[in-house]
Amino acid sequence: MDRIAIEDHATSGYDLMTRAAEAALEFARQEFPASTHWQIVCGAGNNAGDGYVVARLAAQQGLAASVLSLVDPATLKGDAATARGDFEACGGVVLRWEGFLDPDADLMVDAILGSGLRRDVDGEFGEAVAAINAHPAAVHSMDIPTGIHGDSGVVQGIAVEADLTTTFVGLKAGLFLGDGPDHCGHLTYSDLGIDQGWVSAVEPKFRRIDSQTIALPRRARDANKGDFGHVLVVGGGPGMPGAARLCGEAALRSGAGRVSVATHPDHAAYLNSSRPELMVQGVGGAEDLAPLLARADVVAFGPGLGQSEWARELFDVLITDRHPAVWDADALNLLAPGRNTAGNRVLTPHPGEAATLLNQTAARVQADRVAALVALQRRWDAIIVLKGAGTLVSGEDGVPFISCSGNPGMATAGMGDVLTGVIAGLAAQGLSLHLAAIVGTEIHARSGDRAASDGERGLIASDVVRALRQEVNP
């Protein structure tokens, strides 16, 4: 996108650099209004150039702005060299890195390395990153925190832990994946005024799921429960009734007209009494499942299922069933050894389940979540929701969707059961399986954020279920 603006539309690279610095300066002054003593740590290349322009503009606004360079400034080339020259022409002094930062600085600006980094940060660069992280001042990263891989979000050796990141031209995937969200702090963005028509042909790596995407229509006044579908939850093996209840209740709270639960006979009575709105049926085996499937519009399979003989008998029925379905938990683990393609299904694995489905390690899945998503989609011919920080949903045109909502408090038991119920509940109301997966993923994440308003630690799945109504109503 930079190249298109510069080479095809005669935009000056230094002009873009100046716009980037102006945007970063504005965001930093909004975020840290009391900070008046800035130290800008510059590396090489255009990221350093951005830093030099920030230093010049900050000084012109009356801030104390010093520059610390990790390379010989004389080696800078192109726009970065021009930026350094303009800073010095205005009276700025460039200091060389000697192993320490200004102890009086109240804002550190990270202009060391940008999103093109492809190797580990080490040597003096690594020492400077460690010093920034140890310094008491707030930290503002230019474009992306140094050390974060621009595509995967993986830390490359060591990475800056920013309080604010201002990114330019296009949002970098690494800011939303892997370690990126934990390192970028508050994320701000400027397109630098590049005409979006110029870059419309550039294929995105992701599509963010936004409020417009998840807006659900209002219901007609004369609606009845039959208009909003019937979800059948199949799960809740011996000793695990809670997962099936969470899934069923989430489907109801998402707006499904009716929800039945096919569960192990040992606890059918308990589920009936604990949530009377659920129609609970104890099923001893495959023969008990057929009449329930005949009445269902969508199936949610797997919450609390287990891998007992009872679970395997139900699996043998549902593996050939053609209802629109959402599969999770042990349904995925039972699916993994086979070769059956999923067809009309949404699979919702967390990284461990994804690893099982792909016969690889969870670490490999997390190292390249996009590649894992593509491999899952191809292997199982299904809509894939790859859960985790930056949950991904496979796209019909090859461009995945990403949820930028959610929080670490959701890393607790039962959250996946709730997500399964939300997606199934939306599909029952008439959304295509693919759209239900997209909308359900974001609604689930936003409900988690709403439920975490009093704090993330101690958040439980039932809190998210209670928050769903506010997110599904326009």
Side-chain angles (χ1 to χ4, degrees):
M1 293 166 76
D2 269 338
R3 182 194 58 74
I4 289 170
I6 293 169
E7 297 179 9
D8 298 346
H9 296 278
T11 305
S12 161
Y14 190 60
D15 183 30
L16 291 178
M17 185 175 284
T18 301
R19 295 181 202 176
E22 290 171 343
L25 181 68
E26 181 179 354
F27 285 128
R29 299 213 70 178
Q30 291 173 358
E31 189 84 3
F32 313 111
S35 295
T36 59
H37 191 155
W38 295 12
Q39 182 157 63
I40 298 88
V41 185
C42 294
N46 284 345
N47 199 250
D50 293 340
Y52 280 106
V53 182
V54 165
R56 173 171 60 83
L57 297 178
Q60 290 174 352
Q61 292 189 15
L63 302 172
S66 62
V67 171
L68 193 63
S69 179
L70 299 176
V71 302
D72 181 353
T75 63
L76 295 176
K77 300 183 184 302
D79 293 329
T82 301
R84 186 212 80 194
D86 286 352
F87 172 66
E88 292 180 329
C90 292
V93 175
V94 181
L95 305 174
R96 288 297 305 276
W97 167 256
E98 294 182 355
F100 56 88
L101 304 171
D102 183 350
D104 296 323
D106 53 16
L107 180 67
M108 305 300 305
V109 177
D110 161 30
I112 302 175
L113 297 168
S115 58
L117 181 66
R118 293 294 180 268
R119 60 179 178 81
D120 282 357
V121 178
D122 54 17
E124 291 189 338
F125 281 64
E127 293 171 6
V129 169
I132 289 172
N133 290 342
H135 198 284
V139 180
H140 181 192
S141 285
M142 303 289 287
D143 203 32
I144 193 168
T146 292
I148 292 295
H149 191 284
D151 292 328
S152 69
V154 170
V155 171
Q156 298 184 267
I158 187 172
V160 167
E161 298 166 2
D163 300 289
L164 172 70
T165 297
T166 301
T167 198
F168 313 113
V169 182
L171 294 166
K172 283 71 184 175
L175 294 168
F176 302 95
L177 297 175
D179 303 303
D182 283 337
H183 283 74
C184 71
H186 179 206
L187 180 61
T188 52
Y189 166 71
S190 174
D191 63 9
L192 305 188
I194 293 176
D195 189 317
Q196 294 305 293
W198 298 350
V199 296
S200 59
V202 177
E203 184 174 279
K205 187 160 188 176
F206 299 117
R207 292 190 176 95
R208 285 192 297 171
I209 311 173
D210 57 17
S211 297
Q212 182 176 354
T213 304
I214 67 172
L216 298 171
R218 292 187 178 275
R219 293 182 165 184
R221 294 287 295 175
D222 62 350
N224 66 79
K225 65 184 178 183
D227 297 331
F228 305 117
H230 188 166
V231 174
L232 174 63
V233 177
V234 181
M240 295 184 287
R245 175 184 162 171
L246 284 168
C247 182
E249 188 169 351
L252 283 174
R253 294 293 188 186
S254 300
R258 291 175 290 177
V259 176
S260 295
V261 178
T263 191
H264 195 275
D266 285 356
H267 38 63
Y270 158 74
L271 287 179
N272 265 320
S273 61
S274 66
R275 175 52 67 198
E277 296 88 349
L278 297 173
M279 298 178 288
V280 183
Q281 179 70 49
V283 294
E287 68 281 358
D288 297 328
L289 200 56
L292 299 177
L293 284 170
R295 296 193 294 270
D297 297 307
V298 178
V299 175
F301 182 41
L305 181 69
Q307 298 188 42
S308 65
E309 286 304 313
W310 175 84
R312 293 176 186 277
E313 187 173 344
L314 300 185
F315 173 86
D316 289 341
V317 173
L318 290 173
I319 194 68
T320 59
D321 184 70
R322 293 294 91 192
H323 279 86
V326 187
W327 283 36
D328 187 31
D330 276 318
L332 303 179
N333 293 322
L334 292 172
L335 177 68
R339 302 298 302 174
N340 177 273
T341 54
N344 196 26
R345 298 180 193 140
V346 178
L347 308 185
T348 63
H350 58 54
E353 291 159 347
T356 300
L357 288 167
L358 294 173
N359 193 28
Q360 59 183 236
T361 66
R364 183 176 171 188
V365 169
Q366 289 295 79
D368 194 339
R369 286 171 55 81
V370 177
L373 184 80
V374 172
L376 286 164
Q377 186 177 16
R378 290 175 177 170
R379 170 67 182 81
W380 296 104
D381 186 28
I383 300 157
I384 305 298
V385 178
L386 181 56
K387 297 181 290 195
T391 292
L392 303 178
V393 183
S394 54
E396 293 177 316
D397 62 355
V399 180
F401 289 78
I402 185 169
S403 172
C404 300
S405 304
N407 63 83
M410 299 175 74
T412 188
M415 290 293 175
D417 305 317
V418 174
L419 175 61
T420 298
V422 173
I423 296 173
L426 293 172
Q429 294 171 73
L431 276 67
S432 70
L433 266 184
H434 187 236
L435 185 56
I438 295 165
V439 175
T441 293
E442 184 68 11
I443 283 176
H444 176 258
R446 293 190 183 194
S447 297
D449 288 341
R450 183 182 293 274
S453 60
D454 294 328
E456 296 173 357
R457 187 174 283 107
L459 184 69
I460 63 173
S462 295
D463 298 330
V464 177
V465 172
R466 284 191 289 271
L468 284 170
R469 284 182 64 201
Q470 292 168 286
E471 294 297 333
V472 297
N473 285 289

